[in-house]
Amino acid sequence: MDDLDAVLDRARRFADDWLGAVGERPVAVPVADADARARFDDRLPTHGRPAAEVLDELASALEPGLVASAGPRYFGFVTGGALPVAVGADWMVSAADQNAAVRVMSPAVAALEDVTGAWVCELLGLPAGSAVGFVTGAQMATVAGLAAARHALLAAQGWDVGAGGLAGAPVPTVVIGAMAHSTVLAALRLLGFGADRAVRVPADDQGRMRPELLRDLLASIDGPVLVCAQAGQVDTGACDPLDAVADAVGERASAWLHVDGAFGLWAAAAPARRHLVAGRERADSWAVDAHKWLNVPYDGAMAIVRDPAALAAAFSSAAAYITIGAGDPSGRTPESSRRARAVPIHAALRHLGRDGVADLVERCCTLARQAADELGAHPRIDVLNDVVLNQVLFAPRGADAAELSRAVAADGTCWVGTSAWHGRPALRLSVSNWSTTPADISRSTAAITTALDRLTGR
Ligand SMILES: *Cc1c(COP(=O)(O)O)cnc(C)c1O
């Protein structure tokens, strides 16, 4: 046990050092890729080393190349931090080392998944009794939801896709919004639907699917349809009008509605934002991340499917020595052996409670509004989106957006990524971290406007 004591001490020391400094560390990509690589000896060792030394070596080799993305002024992509309670629970997951594949391998984890899945459905206002698979991220959650859809829609045509595959199958028409997330396309590729075969519904200026055009489009399609809507467009935070989308889809005899709500579905947990996702409960499947807005450490997300049998049909498996069925955690996910991902998610929800989650979501939205107001007050910044959630999309006038992003990174106060909106290069500021304060926002917007003033020579 001496060895165990020593390594856990080292891990604890690393965590203390890292987490103690993450709020004040320069929030940039700290070293070039080649420098990060150079810190690791690339010769496979012949002889081993004591465990504690290995961790010391790792800590010093990793540290210079780590990004302070869990800190309060990292606004890139849609990046959550990690609530302390979830970090602690995640350590417990590793210590217990349970295989959360089948119930018999860990009755405790299987039970906890059941409880946590039901909590998530209740919190997000999704149908009780839905099946919840704990997966790595929203991409895999969408893969799981669309795999369930593929099974169910084809089974309704008398085709067993698990046995017969897609060749020769009466494949449903896939319909997506023009501003669907790239991971939805990845899921369509992976599942054999083909990204380019998906029919796209034009979006409005905020990136929302236009439901009247969806209705017209659906009227022109024969046979089953699989419609992918979105709650939380990654650049604008805008949500498709899910009630109107569900109305249009609901007129079909054979249809499945999936909602990619990686971050946006959390709007349902905050009373003042809930109207943005009205109608969400009418879909058949949902994808939602935990590592973004719930602030659980990577990785964790939920694939939620109204009809548990459809999800189980997509993922259950059997051999003489092991059966993975609907009641097993892995019977609801694409994996077999897997980490007990629900544990840190449970810890975060238990710690925050319904009120705490609502507060976390609302706080981030309020901070995004503050950032938009402060940036928008600058004479050479245009805020491009209606700031309804936690995303702010803005563009400089008289300077290059990518150059501004690099200048902000070099300053190190905060980090904002780039995108493009209707062809115009833009910057994205996403407020998703539990520890961000109004002072962090003001410091960051000041750093951004100062960088812009320098670039434009003011
Ligand atoms: C982040 C995101 C995804 C992908 O989530 P991962 O956790 O990276 O798999 C999908 N859809 C939207 C809208 C997102 O913001």
Side-chain angles (χ1 to χ4, degrees), residues 39 58 100 174 206 339 414 424:
R39 302 198 66 96
L58 265 180
V174 177
Q206 298 298 307
R339 180 174 182 79
C414 69
R424 181 173 178 187

Side-chain angles (χ1 to χ4, degrees), residues 2-35:
D2 284 355
D3 222 22
L4 183 61
D5 257 355
V7 291
L8 293 181
D9 278 348
R10 294 314 206 277
R12 169 68 197 251
R13 198 179 307 159
F14 170 80
D16 281 345
D17 288 352
W18 173 253
L19 293 174
V22 77
E24 285 310 322
R25 202 180 150 89
V27 196
V29 176
V31 294
D33 290 344
D35 295 340

Side-chain angles (χ1 to χ4, degrees), residues 121-442:
C121 290
E122 191 177 338
L123 190 58
L124 300 181
L126 303 180
S130 298
V132 180
F134 288 87
V135 293
T136 49
Q139 168 156 320
M140 284 318 281
T142 286
V143 167
L146 300 191
R150 187 177 68 160
H151 172 86
L153 290 173
L154 284 167
Q157 309 279 305
W159 186 276
D160 178 353
V161 70
L166 277 187
V171 179
T173 304
V174 177
V175 176
I176 64 175
M179 300 306 288
H181 195 264
S182 49
T183 55
V184 172
L185 301 174
L188 294 175
R189 288 197 297 270
L190 190 60
L191 290 165
F193 284 117
D196 291 355
R197 295 179 75 99
V199 184
R200 289 175 175 250
V201 183
D204 67 13
D205 64 333
Q206 298 298 307
R208 289 174 294 231
M209 189 190 284
R210 291 176 54 188
E212 73 283 7
L213 299 183
L214 172 67
R215 184 179 298 273
D216 293 349
L217 176 72
L218 291 179
S220 71
I221 296 171
D222 284 331
V225 292
L226 167 51
V227 178
C228 301
Q230 176 168 257
Q233 204 283 333
V234 76
D235 287 316
T236 64
C239 301
D240 289 349
L242 297 176
D243 248 329
V245 168
D247 283 344
V249 174
E251 291 166 13
R252 311 277 307 190
S254 182
W256 184 286
L257 175 59
H258 174 78
V259 176
D260 172 9
F263 65 95
L265 261 182
W266 289 103
R273 310 281 159 177
R274 194 168 291 154
H275 65 280
L276 296 168
V277 288
R280 64 197 173 284
E281 71 286 351
R282 298 170 63 191
D284 299 288
S285 58
W286 303 263
V288 60
D289 263 318
H291 54 218
K292 288 179 179 170
W293 220 342
L294 189 59
N295 279 261
V296 163
Y298 292 99
D299 45 31
M302 281 73 67
I304 306 172
V305 177
R306 174 191 296 276
D307 175 11
L311 189 58
F315 294 123
S316 53
S317 62
Y321 81 103
I322 188 170
T323 300
I324 302 180
D328 297 306
S330 284
R332 305 185 285 258
T333 75
E335 292 102 10
S336 170
S337 295
R338 45 193 281 286
R339 180 174 182 79
R341 290 203 171 78
V343 175
I345 294 170
H346 186 90
L349 293 174
R350 183 70 190 86
H351 173 67
L352 293 171
R354 198 193 286 272
D355 292 347
V357 176
D359 179 62
L360 170 62
V361 170
E362 193 55 43
R363 216 166 58 229
C364 289
C365 295
T366 304
L367 292 171
R369 182 70 261 163
Q370 179 191 337
D373 290 343
E374 291 175 3
L375 291 169
H378 191 280
R380 283 176 310 283
I381 290 180
D382 296 325
V383 173
L384 304 181
N385 66 323
D386 296 340
V387 181
V388 292
L389 275 186
N390 58 338
Q391 307 295 117
V392 182
L393 188 65
F394 64 100
R397 266 180 281 116
D400 179 65
E403 208 180 322
L404 177 57
S405 157
R406 282 193 295 273
V408 170
D411 165 73
T413 303
C414 69
W415 201 87
V416 288
T418 54
S419 189
W421 193 246
H422 300 304
R424 181 173 178 187
L427 294 98
R428 310 175 54 255
L429 187 152
S430 173
V431 188
S432 311
N433 190 297
W434 67 280
S435 67
T436 306
T437 64
D440 285 313
I441 296 293
S442 294

